[in-house]
Amino acid sequence: MASTALPQVFGVSNSLTGRAWRWRGGNMDLGQGHFGDGEVIVRQVLLARGVAQDDLQRHLSPTLRDFLPDPSEFNDMDAAADRIAQAILSNERITIYGDYDVDGATSSALLIRLLRDLGIGADYYIPDRLLEGYGPSGEALVKLAEAGSSLIVTVDCGAMAHEALAMASDAGVDVIVVDHHKCSPELPRAAALVNPNRLDENDLAAAHGHLAAVGVAFLLAIALVRTLRARGFFEDRREPDLFALLDVVALGTVADVAALHGLNRAFVAQGLKVMARRDNIGMAALIDASRLKRAPACSDLGFALGPRINAGGRVGESTLGVRLLTTENAEEARQIAAQLSALNEERRAIEAEVQQAAEEQLAAQHNRAVHVVAARGWHPGVIGIVAGRIKEKSGKPSLVIALDENGEGKGSGRSIPGVDLGAAIIRAREEGLLVKGGGHAMAAGLTVEEGKLEAFADWLDAHLESAVARAGENREMLLDLAVAPGGLTPDLVEALDGGGPYGVGWPGPRVAVGPVRLVKCDIVGTDHVRLIASGEDGKSLKGIAFRAADSEMGQALLYGSRGRKLWLAGRVKIDDWGSRPQAELHLEDAAFAD
């Protein structure tokens, strides 16, 4: 049964964010009662996310044993493992060529650490975002070959680098591509191209198209160790502990906003355990620099650790992330982590300036299905973040393009569920509207000539208009359970956490609370709405709606809700600032109850 046919929760058909409220699974209105058996709630959470009744146990505690595929199922995986094994046995010079974001940094760090454990000191190359842009350049690959590298492994890039890989091949260097971005039917020349999103991939491998590049790199690590084992490499040495690499797999997976179902969920669940051990000196320094006083949770990877690694590639030195995650010197780790934290603060300031300028252009784009904004002087390192912010505010796919003095624009886009932006960008490139372009469904990057910018925006708007309209018609707030304010307790948070880790593709549970009246509502920080609400059960709750002060919902809460009853909806988190932990609601939506 389609979700639109399900009953509306509390009769809410048009909330303050314009959505109908519906149950994600079955009706879980707990009313005034206690939330009850935590295991029952977790099972309901799993069922609501598509887990079959007879498969619940596997998903309650996701492990690699239960979700890991045979790496050999992937096209070119065995060829890639064989070529790297040959390089190791022949003591060839290997260079890891990674992207400058978190997925690229963690993928590079994983292979560097693995090769180091195997006795090989691999080089690495991370391009400069501003000077070189995304993906391997032919010039850089040829220079690496001339410097002595006979094998280059690109990670989180290369799937669409036809010209660059052709130059490398002509120069006599073997290139292995480890990627997860969308591919064209014609693949570039490479010794091996491992990517679950190859169009010629079999069904089992293609089912893992949601993996980040670091997840694909981990599968390659398994295949490589297995190949070396078959060749007797470990007869006089210990095998590397691949599980010790799961902390970087978890970080890259979450920071790249990969869907957290299946194998990715197992990667993150187990990777968080490894991270808590603090065996990786660089990761431990990153945790400390993020001012976390406890073991990181899944949300910390996306909001605290990941942005710091990203800051190096966005506004600083692109190699900082790899250096941090591979160093064995505690003092060097501390210094790099501090530098990344400072760069992250600089990134925030730059981002705020670009976002303000970008939003000023949106006034003339209300009828656009896809927002495209561009200007000179915008820092290319923050355009992806700004695109994400605009997408969240507008509910439409958004692209932000930084133009240089030569009239060339570097753009980054973010999409909404149901609209495949990456496929559209690839098609626009094939039709000659873009110099370069690629990505996946929810995010994409491009290079465009300024003279073609208007034609590209018009084409994109026309091409995606129907998909955006369908996505808009299906806008719903899906809820997992409802409680009175007194049911919002730390025990409830702990119970719901049992269905995690949560993220894209495995959304955190949403809880409805009410009816309530606002006791206090004000702005905290620059634009966060903070509130205290009282319910009919005599209990109260604290809530906060981030970056909502200027939104329709925020304005209604601040100025239009006096004396009126409300339903509130969002995710329940622990507020541990006080003397004892309390549950609070991170508000995503609200609706009047009278």
Side-chain angles (χ1 to χ4, degrees), residues 38-60:
E39 186 173 335
V40 172
I41 284 185
V42 171
R43 288 178 177 273
Q44 178 60 36
V45 166
L46 297 181
L47 290 170
R49 280 148 186 77
V51 178
Q53 183 76 43
D54 59 1
D55 200 24
L56 283 172
Q57 198 59 43
R58 186 169 70 122
H59 287 80
L60 281 170

Side-chain angles (χ1 to χ4, degrees), residues 460-541:
L460 198 64
D461 200 63
H463 184 72
L464 293 179
E465 183 178 13
S466 59
V468 173
R470 286 193 300 271
E473 291 170 358
N474 294 328
R475 286 190 74 224
E476 296 174 331
M477 169 63 70
L478 299 180
L479 298 164
D480 290 277
L481 73 157
V483 296
L488 226 63
T489 65
D491 287 342
L492 175 62
V493 179
E494 182 179 355
L496 292 174
D497 283 349
Y502 298 107
V504 174
W506 195 265
R510 288 198 183 102
V511 179
V513 188
V516 298
R517 295 183 191 273
L518 298 189
V519 176
K520 180 181 180 182
C521 188
D522 59 7
I523 296 176
V524 62
T526 56
D527 57 355
H528 309 313
V529 177
R530 176 179 59 184
L531 60 85
I532 298 176
S534 177
E536 295 177 348
D537 62 349
K539 305 293 186 180
S540 63
L541 66 92

